[in-house]
Amino acid sequence: MKTRYRRPLWVLLSLALLVMVIHLALPYVVLNYLNGKLADLGDYRGHIEDVDLAWWRGAYRLDSLVIDKKTSKSRRRCLPQTLSISVLVGGRCGKIKRWLVKSFWNSLT
């Protein structure tokens, strides 16, 4: 193989490998970040079991979202069951996302 073609090939393969590593690591990074934010919400505490990301659709899914209310005696579950939330983020879907988040937080109060 000529040297002229070898360098662009290595650059292309390196970029493909970098994208693959980011694709595999990002759900765990997002999961740890969200669980850190949900760990202490004042009077509430939350936890997420799994995060699924779909880059090609611009969507994400949170599995087994649990939010508990802390009391001095014991923890009281704020939601009757665990939730699985699927959200599609996009130009036209921005209103749907805001509506989902607003309706979800209104159901907590």
Side-chain angles (χ1 to χ4, degrees):
M1 183 179 283
K2 292 186 178 181
T3 307
R4 182 173 92 166
Y5 299 118
R6 190 175 298 155
R7 181 171 286 160
L9 182 64
W10 280 108
V11 169
L12 186 63
L13 288 175
S14 299
L15 287 175
L17 182 66
L18 179 67
V19 168
M20 185 179 289
V21 167
I22 290 172
H23 177 71
L24 293 174
L26 194 60
Y28 298 106
V29 171
V30 170
L31 178 67
N32 288 332
Y33 175 77
L34 290 175
N35 279 333
K37 291 292 183 180
L38 290 173
D40 188 25
L41 295 172
D43 291 341
Y44 296 94
R45 181 186 160 286
H47 180 72
I48 298 172
E49 287 293 324
D50 186 29
V51 174
D52 296 324
L53 301 174
W55 289 12
W56 61 92
R57 292 188 307 141
Y60 59 91
R61 187 174 77 191
L62 307 175
D63 289 331
S64 301
L65 172 64
V66 177
I67 297 178
D68 297 329
K69 182 166 176 74
K70 295 180 195 175
T71 61
S72 59
K73 298 175 187 170
S74 65
R75 288 188 179 152
R76 189 182 77 186
R77 181 159 274 183
C78 190
L79 301 171
Q81 59 188 7
T82 60
L83 293 177
S84 290
I85 300 173
S86 295
V87 178
L88 178 66
V89 180
R92 293 179 58 184
C93 296
K95 292 181 183 178
I96 295 171
K97 179 184 172 191
R98 285 191 297 270
W99 177 79
L100 277 172
V101 171
K102 186 177 179 183
S103 64
F104 173 72
W105 287 114
N106 287 339
S107 70
L108 292 178
T109 58

